[in-house]
Amino acid sequence: MKFSWGEDLPVVARMTAKIRRDDPAEPAPDRDVVVALVGNPNSGKSTLFNCLTGAHQVVVNAPGTTVEVAAQAWKDTAVQLLDLPGAYSLVAHSPGEELTTHAVTGDDAADLVIVVVDATALSRSLYLAGQVGLTGTPVVVAVTMSDIAAGRGVTIDTEALAHLLGVDVVEVDPRTGAGVGQLAAAVSDALVAPRHLHLDAAPAADAAVHEHPLAQVDPRFADAEALFAWVADVQTQVASTPPVRPSRSDRVDGWLMRPWVGVPVFLLVLAAVFQLVTVVAAPAMDAVRWIVADWAGAWVTRGLDAAGAPAWVVGFVTDGLLVGVATVASFVPLIAVVFLAVGALEDSGYLSRASFVADRAMRHLGLDGRAVLPVVVGFGCNLSALASLRTLPSARQRALTALLLPFTSCTARLVVYLMLATVFFPSYAGLVVLAMYVLSAVLVVTVGFVLRHTGFRDLRHEPLVMALPAYQRPRLGALASSATSRTATLVTAAGKVIIVTLALMWLAMAIPVTGGHHFGDVPTADSVHGRATEAIAAVFGPAGFADGGAASALVTGIVAKEVVAGSLAQTYGSDDEPWTDGLRATFERTSGGHGAAAGLAFCVFVLVYTPCLATVAELGRQVGWRAATGSVVASLALAWTLAVIVFQVGARL
Amino acid sequence: MNRPRLADVLRETATGATPQTVAARLGLDPGLVEAMVDHAQRVGLVWTPTCTSCTASLPTCAGCPLSRG
């Protein structure tokens, strides 16, 4: 039979209690006994269970899904055998491990535990065995995978192991049934005369370990030290292990972990990614936009005209809705290429190295190393980064990191950079995008440094270590699947906001305020939109883009940054020329002939100014509305100042 | 095999070394080093740059380089 992980009560407690309640008065020994199989994942535990019970079940133990434990009578006996989820430790880290831990340590713990020791992973198995032994539960050890270990040059002396552990140790091969009879005999003996793991030989931790800063953080530090010393001691005496050499991954890291090598290499990798994106995605984006806005637009216009639709309806559909749809559709190749490239970096383990470098920077700022996680997440989406702040233990750390996150350049802003960079810097658009990311990182570090030495002087440095995975070859199938689902999710979510916002913008541009024009047939300057953005546009004069269209795009960008590009396309597109030409011509005019400098200043403003409304709302919830308002005002002022500096310097070069 | 000290393992891990390198440097079994780093992670002394709380199926997580898609 199978049991599923209950809502709030571990199933093993119910199960073992039920078995005992079946005959509470005079429980027969052969009906009352519960034996549990405990071992690392993939140690051969379930195969052993099938062999011992005659079952043919497959146990699925997927993280985050239902955890299952199988229970069946041991062949030809009434002993109930439990196949518990694989566990690496009794310091549980997943529902499956919680279940296993409870089965060993709970009030209704199993009567005896068979610890399945994987000969190919002896250390990890012994560590788990030691933890089981510390609970005081009687133990029998079953050693599996001996043939595979032997193939790797590792042999285990089971007699010596039994002597050291003080319990029966049986070598089994569940696939062939070898050793199963001896295991049954050992279990039978242990049920009559329970034997416990000998941990007395575990060397005590050095006195100095209690003084270590990490020991101050966690009192179990010294206990763990003693347990690992015991594992090493046992392993040395019972197993022959081949010498250890640094892997290729480590030799690569030997170079990449050096700041003066790792940082330039990381920048080169990013530059290559962005260049790839602009070279591959930009033509595809133009093609998609032409198909949706121009080709399909012409068909829709002809159809509506033929149906006798009023001019404003034709304008709303083609210049309002279709421009929005074209903007959303043009994001698809861009986002897909970005996700493929970033996914390959993450899957290979390289992105973790970048996080490691950032982790060091965070520590120099006096931030908790864990702050790097929300910051990295912020480069995807500021909102989810704010949500991930719960990983930080201190409220002050959370507040400081929350104030830095709006300066991380999210994916929505990347779309704006790429579009503007291909318009104003077609030959080296990738480098311009990279410069935006470098500026973003510089702002995070600079603002963090300033805040740390002004309003956040009281933060304490907490000892914490970041561990890196080994490099691996990216899995192409998984990458393609991930990029497809991410692109679909992001484009669907952003698409709704973009289309609705651009439709509303069209309405604002269609309603006349002056000049006696008709609805839907009005020059932008005489529309509600034109009058509203006129005053705002003047503010951007020193930055070189004092134009209502640019100002309008920035205002709509407060709703969501993805809208900025669509808003520019809607404002500067016309029947005579594509929006890119219109934008370039406008910026040339407003900047006095320095359109590229104005375009760069516009990108800088987009990077630094107010994040989207959803992020501001979450920021207010996390740090309070006073601090959030201060953050928004400060980011607007900083964005304007930097945009002006970039334009004024750029125009003079 | 040398006597394993958690502090030594964590010190080497903090330099960016993987368990294999830490094992080679300290004369320990790589599996033991993995178990030590894993234990330290479980009690909150070590973290890895992966996000375990989100999913790429959420719009706010889809663009995140650390979400699981």
Side-chain angles (χ1 to χ4, degrees):
Chain A
M1 60 184 155
K2 279 189 180 181
F3 296 84
S4 291
W5 175 246
E7 289 178 5
D8 54 4
L9 187 63
V11 66
V12 173
R14 293 201 302 267
M15 188 159 51
T16 50
K18 177 179 177 297
I19 291 167
R20 291 194 171 101
R21 276 198 303 271
D22 282 348
D23 193 356
E26 287 287 330
D30 60 348
R31 286 199 66 224
D32 195 23
V33 174
V34 176
V35 174
L37 284 168
V38 173
N40 293 163
N42 304 315
S43 59
K45 194 168 44 61
S46 295
T47 313
L48 181 59
F49 176 85
N50 289 344
C51 182
L52 295 174
T53 61
H56 299 285
Q57 52 99 29
V58 176
V59 173
V60 178
N61 180 16
T65 62
T66 303
V67 177
E68 290 187 326
V69 56
Q72 194 146 332
W74 193 310
K75 249 188 228 175
D76 305 326
T77 75
V79 171
Q80 284 291 323
L81 189 63
L82 301 184
D83 181 16
L84 296 170
Y88 286 113
S89 170
L90 295 188
V91 183
H93 214 45
S94 66
E97 288 184 343
E98 278 179 29
L99 181 70
T100 299
T101 303
H102 189 91
V104 178
T105 63
D107 293 338
D108 293 301
D111 299 289
L112 181 132
V113 169
I114 300 174
V115 178
V116 180
V117 168
D118 180 353
T120 65
L122 187 59
S123 304
R124 300 208 73 150
S125 296
L126 284 175
Y127 162 67
L128 181 64
Q131 287 183 316
V132 173
L134 284 169
T135 67
T137 309
V139 167
V140 168
V141 170
V143 179
T144 59
M145 312 278 188
S146 299
D147 52 339
I148 299 172
R152 297 176 188 174
V154 178
T155 53
I156 295 174
D157 183 344
T158 49
E159 281 187 24
L161 184 60
H163 176 72
L164 282 168
L165 300 185
V167 298
D168 285 322
V169 176
V170 182
E171 194 173 315
V172 296
D173 185 344
R175 292 162 299 181
T176 62
V180 167
Q182 293 94 312
L183 180 63
V187 168
S188 180
D189 290 347
L191 287 172
V192 175
R195 301 177 72 180
H196 300 86
L197 218 60
H198 278 179
L199 288 158
D200 307 339
D206 287 346
V209 76
H210 296 284
E211 307 300 324
H212 194 277
L214 291 172
Q216 311 302 315
V217 175
D218 191 282
R220 293 169 292 183
F221 189 83
D223 295 338
E225 186 102 323
L227 182 58
F228 286 118
W230 173 80
V231 170
D233 191 39
V234 172
Q235 188 174 9
T236 304
Q237 296 189 52
V238 304
S240 61
T241 52
V244 183
R245 294 190 188 89
S247 65
R248 187 185 302 169
S249 171
D250 295 310
R251 286 196 290 274
V252 173
D253 275 345
W255 286 97
L256 290 184
M257 289 294 105
R258 298 176 189 181
W260 299 113
V261 178
V263 173
V265 167
F266 181 57
L267 291 177
L268 280 175
V269 169
L270 275 189
V273 167
F274 293 134
Q275 198 61 37
L276 171 79
V277 170
T278 54
V279 168
V280 174
M285 291 169 72
D286 288 341
V288 170
R289 199 180 296 115
W290 181 84
I291 290 170
V292 178
D294 298 342
W295 184 76
W299 277 93
V300 170
T301 304
R302 277 198 289 274
L304 289 173
D305 285 341
W312 70 266
V313 172
V314 177
F316 177 72
V317 172
T318 55
D319 298 335
L321 294 180
L322 268 182
V323 167
V325 173
T327 303
V328 174
S330 69
F331 288 168
V332 172
L334 169 71
I335 300 286
V337 174
V338 169
F339 284 163
L340 272 176
V342 174
L345 292 178
E346 162 62 7
D347 210 29
S348 67
Y350 183 73
L351 212 57
S352 297
R353 271 70 187 172
S355 302
F356 190 87
V357 174
D359 176 65
R360 285 180 174 166
M362 288 292 166
R363 287 168 190 280
H364 283 303
L365 285 178
L367 282 168
D368 189 305
R370 279 166 287 196
V372 75
L373 179 65
V375 169
V376 174
V377 172
F379 283 97
C381 174
N382 289 182
L383 184 60
S384 53
L386 282 169
S388 72
L389 286 179
R390 61 180 177 272
T391 56
L392 298 179
S394 145
R396 295 283 288 161
Q397 290 277 8
R398 285 196 294 273
L400 174 54
T401 312
L403 292 173
L404 299 181
L405 287 178
F407 295 109
T408 55
S409 187
C410 63
T411 312
R413 286 175 237 199
L414 170 63
V415 172
V416 183
Y417 308 149
L418 282 167
M419 289 183 132
L420 288 175
T422 49
V423 170
F424 291 105
F425 308 94
S427 302
Y428 40 95
L431 282 180
V432 171
V433 177
L434 174 66
M436 290 298 115
Y437 276 81
V438 171
L439 177 60
S440 173
V442 168
L443 283 171
V444 169
V445 171
T446 307
V447 175
F449 183 83
V450 170
L451 289 176
R452 180 73 178 83
H453 291 87
T454 51
F456 289 86
R457 288 198 189 113
D458 56 323
L459 284 184
R460 283 190 305 118
H461 175 73
E462 294 183 22
L464 188 71
V465 174
M466 180 174 171
L468 291 178
Y471 285 105
Q472 64 175 11
R473 191 188 302 273
R475 300 152 299 169
L476 293 180
L479 273 182
S481 166
S482 169
T484 304
S485 69
R486 285 164 184 256
T487 303
T489 304
L490 205 65
V491 168
T492 306
K496 294 171 190 165
V497 179
I498 291 170
I499 291 171
V500 170
T501 306
L502 294 186
L504 291 174
M505 248 187 76
W506 182 89
L507 280 175
M509 292 167 78
I511 300 172
V513 178
T514 56
H517 304 285
H518 295 292
F519 176 73
D521 183 21
V522 49
T524 305
D526 291 335
S527 67
V528 169
H529 174 273
R531 295 300 295 271
T533 55
E534 194 178 328
I536 303 171
V539 175
F540 298 112
F545 52 87
D547 184 72
S552 168
L554 293 173
V555 171
T556 55
I558 294 175
V559 177
K561 291 289 178 292
E562 294 94 335
V563 184
V564 173
S567 176
L568 291 173
Q570 189 178 45
T571 305
Y572 293 110
S574 71
D575 295 339
D576 305 324
E577 61 179 1
W579 73 272
T580 50
D581 291 350
L583 177 66
R584 196 182 298 112
T586 303
F587 274 31
E588 284 291 333
R589 175 176 52 78
T590 57
S591 63
H594 303 288
L600 193 60
F602 188 86
C603 283
V604 169
F605 194 89
V606 169
L607 162 63
V608 184
Y609 89 122
T610 316
C612 65
L613 278 181
T615 300
V616 173
E618 180 64 17
L619 190 63
R621 201 183 65 79
Q622 296 250 359
V623 300
W625 281 105
R626 193 174 165 190
T629 306
S631 167
V632 168
V633 171
S635 65
L636 277 171
L638 184 60
W640 185 87
T641 305
L642 289 175
V644 169
I645 291 172
V646 166
F647 174 70
Q648 296 297 338
V649 172
R652 284 164 177 73
L653 292 177
Chain B
M1 195 191 305
N2 294 331
R3 181 192 168 103
R5 289 184 171 82
L6 200 48
D8 294 340
V9 168
L10 297 185
R11 188 194 63 233
E12 294 297 329
T13 301
T15 67
T18 58
Q20 180 86 4
T21 294
V22 174
R25 286 181 191 166
L26 300 179
L28 299 173
D29 176 67
L32 181 63
V33 173
E34 277 176 23
M36 295 172 87
V37 173
D38 178 62
H39 177 86
Q41 191 174 353
R42 287 167 187 271
V43 298
L45 299 174
V46 165
W47 70 285
T48 52
T50 51
C51 188
T52 55
S53 58
C54 61
T55 164
S57 61
L58 294 174
T60 50
C61 294
C64 172
L66 299 181
S67 69
R68 296 178 172 184

